Amino acid sequence: MLERDLAASVDGEVRFDAGTRGAYSTDGLNFRQVPIGVVLPRTVEAGAAAVAVCRAYGVPLLSRGGGTSLAGQCTNTAVVIDWSKYCNRVLDVDAEQRTCVVEPGIVLDVLNDQLKPAGLRFGPEPATHMNCTLGGMIGNNSCGATAQRTGKVVDNIAALEVLLYDGTRFWCGPTSDDEFAAIERRGDQRARIYRQLRELSEKYAGQIRATYPDIPRRVSGYNLDSLLPEHGFDVAGLLVGSESTLVTVLRARLKLVDVLTERSLVVLGYPSVDKAADAVPRIL
């Protein structure tokens, strides 16, 4: 019944065969969870339609990136939505503002190739840059070798268009007091969520400031610190790294950085692992 209704409602490929389910049961680690089925939507709207069908059946969802995760994040006993085959376009480039809008299935290297004429690129660059998707990078808050210069994905997101399981859909990002008031006046589900997030951030602000590790590559857990006033009540920042557990990301507006004309690699040798670790603060 679920497969039938997905096929009837979604413009895309709906695959419930054993071969596809087996292929999507693993990622970059020796870890397996066989999905219920796989949907490859041809458009973002088709992906939203898949979410609606899954909601009607009460089944779990997972948005899958490039299959390159190392801890099972790309697998779940759920309906897997793979955006990479069709929803992989650059929708807009604003060279003056140094931003672009992308669909979640675009591969990082493909994006950066298309941005080259503008002299811009997306900063974070994981080791899997040749096949990881932006949606996957947003899901796990990727870093990579460039993190010391450009930061994590959460530091490079201007806004996200997201879809909740209940069908609520909106763009989010840093939220000024005036924007928050305008959202709250709507009195809808988004207003309720923003109100609850504001209450949460105010109630636990002291604990978040005191206990969230101040390290440049903190990527695990929900980014509750993004909701603090000093970070502009950034709802998109909260959602980066949430691994498809809170929302489905439909589109993203990315912050871009300049392309470096030259790159160098320095290899340093140490007599032991502990001596190498001791040297890291001095190098940074």
Side-chain angles (χ1 to χ4, degrees), residues 128-143:
T128 54
H129 54 86
M130 71 293 295
N131 50 30
C132 66
T133 66
L134 265 293
M137 293 178 67
I138 291 167
N140 64 24
N141 195 10
S142 295
C143 292

Side-chain angles (χ1 to χ4, degrees), residues 15-30:
R15 303 179 182 177
F16 276 60
D17 61 281
T20 296
R21 293 172 65 225
Y24 280 79
S25 67
T26 188
D27 58 7
L29 192 69
N30 186 22

Side-chain angles (χ1 to χ4, degrees), residues 177-195:
D177 289 341
D178 288 344
E179 290 169 332
F180 181 87
I183 292 168
E184 194 170 36
R185 282 195 296 270
R186 295 163 60 99
D188 55 10
Q189 175 75 327
R190 183 187 181 190
R192 184 182 70 83
I193 291 169
Y194 272 57
R195 191 179 310 116

